[in-house]
Amino acid sequence: VITINVGVPGPFKPARLQQTILVDEVALCFPNLKIVLSHVGDPWVGETIAMLNKHPNVFLMTAGWAPKYLPAELRTFMGSRGRSKVMWASDYPILSFDRTFAEGSALDVRPQALPGYLGDNAMRVFGPPKKPE
């Protein structure tokens, strides 16, 4: 599993290298690689959803976004074809676990989408947490 930031970065760095469509070739060349996009892909949210739809090996975690501010098109996708593709993430310490989990639990999506978003999808993609040795 690899994670890739998508969307305009907060620091003054070039945004073009984080445009979501650039993931397309990587996902095609490495179909067994699980690719987890991070930060929603704004302003390319539509491209993010297109990559999630197109590639079975591409997923999204919502790090860096307070769940109550997730774009409407993403929330709609989460409640339909994207039910197994989107994962909650906090972006701690910038956004706290408590705040983002509470907002995620109250998210206005179809109820059947919440278990996947809040943990089941992450367990399926990343696997169970490893116990310390």
Side-chain angles (χ1 to χ4, degrees), residues 51-132:
M51 293 300 96
L52 295 170
N53 271 327
K54 179 178 181 179
H55 298 289
N57 59 325
V58 175
F59 305 89
L60 174 69
M61 62 180 166
T62 60
W65 282 73
K68 69 180 180 181
Y69 296 119
L70 290 175
E73 63 189 308
L74 181 58
R75 290 192 317 268
T76 298
F77 174 73
M78 290 167 62
S80 60
R81 297 186 303 188
R83 202 176 319 163
S84 65
K85 300 290 246 167
V86 182
M87 299 173 263
W88 166 83
S90 72
D91 211 30
Y92 178 84
I94 296 167
L95 294 170
S96 74
F97 294 119
D98 292 341
R99 173 188 173 185
T100 55
F101 193 78
E103 287 181 15
S105 299
L107 202 58
D108 183 24
V109 295
R110 291 184 179 166
Q112 60 268 39
L114 285 177
Y117 175 64
L118 295 174
D120 291 351
N121 295 342
M123 289 284 287
R124 195 173 29 72
V125 172
F126 290 104
K130 295 195 175 31
K131 296 185 185 211

Side-chain angles (χ1 to χ4, degrees), residues 5-19 22 44:
N5 290 343
V6 291
V8 174
F12 290 109
K13 302 285 183 194
R16 66 183 164 79
L17 299 177
Q18 290 188 191
Q19 187 169 358
L22 297 174
W44 305 293

